[in-house]
């Protein structure tokens, strides 16, 4: 199968559980004969050895640099947007969105989107193309915001945390409901995504 796989982080080196899971999923699917194109964001652009670790089994590897956390766009989006902070940090990336839009012009058997917080740049291109996709959520991210927001000063943490959890619950509900099976005839389209607890 031809698989388009999107990730809001680069899965090598395998320094976290999430990166380890992604690396082995991709490697094993490729070993079974699937042709995978990976489109990933990266906090730090990978070195040649890091690229070689994935390039050897992927059909294509496209890595886009993520904006710095302290960029004006990220801070303003996190404070004033209806999107939750994680979706803002990993979103609002026109270059990533443009690459994804161009990839959607190709025929894919599966479009795999990892994590709702990486969905913002993909939402409009998917809606315009009407292509079905799978959305995998490994955690209930709205419950994990506390770990990320715990780095904020206490006065900001307590006011911001509650508001961001509300934003994230709304975001999860809206985004997870967009993952659909193809519409066959007049049959109702069914959601294919859900929470894993």
């Amino acid at each position: 199968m031809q698989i388009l796989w999107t990730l809001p982080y680069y899965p090598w080196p395998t320094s976290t559980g999430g990166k380890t899971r992604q690396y082995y999923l991709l490697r094993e699917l490729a070993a079974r004969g699937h042709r995978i194109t990976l489109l990933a964001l990266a906090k730090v652009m990978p070195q040649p050895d890091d690229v070689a670790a994935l390039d050897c089994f992927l059909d294509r590897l496209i890595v886009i640099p993520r904006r710095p956390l302290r960029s004006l766009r990220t801070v303003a989006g996190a404070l004033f947007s209806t999107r939750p902070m994680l979706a803002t940090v990993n979103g609002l990336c026109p270059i990533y969105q443009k690459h994804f839009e161009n990839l959607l012009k190709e025929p894919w058997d599966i479009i795999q989107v990892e994590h709702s917080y990486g969905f913002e740049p993909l939402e409009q291109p998917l809606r315009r193309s009407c292509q079905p996709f799978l959305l995998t959520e490994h955690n209930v991210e709205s419950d994990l915001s506390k770990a990320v927001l715990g780095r904020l000063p206490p006065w900001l943490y307590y006011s911001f945390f509650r508001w961001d959890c509300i934003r994230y619950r709304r975001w999860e509900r809206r985004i997870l409901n967009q993952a659909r099976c193809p519409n066959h005839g007049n049959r109702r389209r069914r959601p294919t995504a859900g929470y894993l607890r």
Side-chain angles (χ1 to χ4, degrees):
M1 286 194 292
Q2 294 273 11
I3 303 173
L4 173 56
W5 198 285
T6 68
L7 265 177
Y9 50 82
Y10 191 74
W12 186 268
T14 54
S15 52
T16 66
K19 289 182 176 186
T20 303
R21 176 179 55 240
Q22 294 302 319
Y23 173 77
Y24 285 106
L25 270 172
L26 291 164
R27 193 182 76 176
E28 290 307 310
L29 284 168
R32 292 170 190 228
H34 301 297
R35 300 186 66 190
I36 304 166
T37 293
L38 175 63
L39 175 63
L41 278 177
K43 281 192 278 190
V44 178
M45 289 302 282
Q47 297 299 310
D49 287 349
D50 300 331
V51 170
L54 274 76
D55 211 26
C56 61
F57 58 81
L58 293 174
D59 202 40
R60 263 183 298 179
L61 174 60
I62 303 164
V63 185
I64 309 295
R66 194 182 80 186
R67 270 186 331 281
L69 277 178
R70 293 179 181 169
S71 77
L72 183 59
R73 191 172 200 180
T74 301
V75 172
L79 292 175
F80 304 113
S81 170
T82 57
R83 288 178 297 276
M85 188 177 76
L86 271 177
T88 300
V89 167
N90 294 285
L92 308 173
C93 185
I95 299 167
Y96 190 82
Q97 187 174 52
K98 188 67 182 166
H99 274 283
F100 184 68
E101 223 162 7
N102 289 334
L103 288 167
L104 286 181
K105 294 172 185 171
E106 300 175 30
W108 301 102
D109 297 305
I110 296 173
I111 298 172
Q112 172 68 27
V113 176
E114 293 284 330
H115 304 291
S116 63
Y117 64 80
F119 192 72
E120 191 277 334
L122 315 177
E123 184 172 14
Q124 291 307 316
L126 282 168
R127 190 171 285 168
R128 283 192 294 269
S129 71
C130 296
Q131 291 205 38
F133 62 93
L134 298 172
L135 173 61
T136 304
E137 191 77 308
H138 302 277
N139 300 296
V140 180
E141 297 295 340
S142 56
D143 289 346
L144 294 180
S145 298
K146 190 173 184 177
V148 176
L149 296 174
R151 299 182 196 140
L152 295 172
W155 62 271
L156 184 56
Y157 167 75
Y158 288 108
S159 57
F160 188 74
F161 171 64
R162 288 179 184 272
W163 181 53
D164 201 54
C165 282
I166 291 167
R167 290 192 300 181
Y168 215 118
R169 283 188 207 103
R170 288 180 184 155
W171 177 261
E172 282 171 334
R173 207 168 15 252
R174 189 170 70 76
I175 299 310
L176 290 172
N177 281 331
Q178 289 184 49
R180 308 255 180 209
C181 288
N183 189 5
H184 299 290
N186 292 327
R187 280 189 283 167
R188 194 164 174 261
R189 298 174 86 191
R190 296 170 290 129
T192 57
Y195 290 106
L196 294 175
R197 283 190 178 242

